[in-house]
Structure formats: C-alpha cells, structure tokens
Amino acid sequence: MPVSPNEYKKMGDSAVPPTKEWRNLCGAFLIGGAICALGQLLLNIYKCAGLGTPAASTLCSVSLIFLSAVLTALGIYDNIAKFGGGGTLVPITGFANAVVSPAMEFKTEGWVLGVGVKMFTIAGPVIVYGLSAGVVYGIIYWLLNMVLK
C-alpha cells in the first residue's frame, strides 16, 4: 500500500513521543549550575585554607574529578545525569564520568582487556584531539610571537 509523504509524516509524528524541551533545559541548567557552584565553593574553601589561586584551582578540579568518579562508581552519577542531561556533561565531571563509566561496566573482563581498554573508549578521542589542538595552537602562537617581535 503506497503512502504519500504527508501521510508518512503524520504516521511518524504520531509515533514519536513529545519532547520535554523546557524540562530538559531546566534540569541541565540546575544541575550544571549546581556543579559549577560546588566548584566555586571548593575553590573558595581552598583559597581560605591558604592556597594560592593556581594551587586552589588545581585542587578544585581534582576534587570535582574525584567526586564524579566516586559517584559514578556508586551509581549515583547516572541518576543525576538522568535529571540534568547535558548539564552533567559540560563540566569536568562529565569527562570523569566518561572515563569511569565504561571501566566499571567492563571490570569483569579483567584489568587490561576490561578496565584498561574500555576506560578510554569514550574519553580517548577527547584526549587525542585536545592534545592535538593544543599542539597546533601552541605552534601558531609561537609562530605569531616570532613574526610580531
């Protein structure tokens, strides 16, 4: 039975559940904002403890990564991500989750072929392209400094 393009569109639209755009946007805003607010709180605490800005910033990043890894291992981060969506992916915590999650899933396959291989399945390309972009930008910056001096 042939179906016209309009009938096909109507059939497709009826099969797709309605999007929850506003709910998703609000969840991402709230969770992403909460993660960033936690980061700022940690930064302020570390500065009040007497650390300089570079050391406090580094310790803040390490703390957020550690917290994200622990919450992922406990299965809590996934529940936060269900509510927050993209809000959990943007901060550094999303990267930590992307490294720990596959490692946890494949730990039964052993340390090398399970955890070691799967740990960088998602995060590996981010690291490779991030490092490559850093090298390219560094070369461009160096060349521009040589020309402009």
Side-chain angles (χ1 to χ4, degrees):
M1 172 171 118
V3 179
S4 72
N6 287 337
E7 290 173 336
Y8 185 78
K9 183 175 178 352
K10 286 179 187 177
M11 288 172 33
D13 290 343
S14 68
V16 175
T19 61
K20 302 173 186 172
E21 292 171 352
W22 288 105
R23 186 244 165 264
N24 293 341
L25 287 170
C26 290
F29 178 78
L30 290 173
I31 296 299
I35 291 170
C36 293
L38 175 63
Q40 186 65 50
L41 176 69
L42 290 170
L43 182 65
N44 292 345
I45 289 171
Y46 295 141
K47 282 184 175 181
C48 287
L51 295 174
T53 301
S57 298
T58 301
L59 194 54
C60 175
S61 295
V62 169
S63 298
L64 288 172
I65 291 168
F66 177 76
L67 184 61
S68 174
V70 168
L71 291 176
T72 299
L74 296 174
I76 297 170
Y77 199 89
D78 290 339
N79 294 329
I80 295 170
K82 285 177 187 173
F83 176 76
T88 59
L89 298 177
V90 177
I92 197 168
T93 55
F95 183 74
N97 175 262
V99 172
V100 174
S101 191
M104 294 298 296
E105 185 176 343
F106 290 94
K107 67 183 177 187
T108 57
E109 294 182 25
W111 285 102
V112 175
L113 296 177
V115 175
V117 171
K118 296 297 181 179
M119 185 181 297
F120 293 104
T121 299
I122 295 173
V126 174
I127 294 170
V128 169
Y129 288 113
L131 286 172
S132 301
V135 168
V136 170
Y137 297 144
I139 291 170
I140 292 170
Y141 180 76
W142 179 73
L143 289 173
L144 286 175
N145 278 336
M146 296 295 289
V147 171
L148 297 176
K149 282 188 178 181

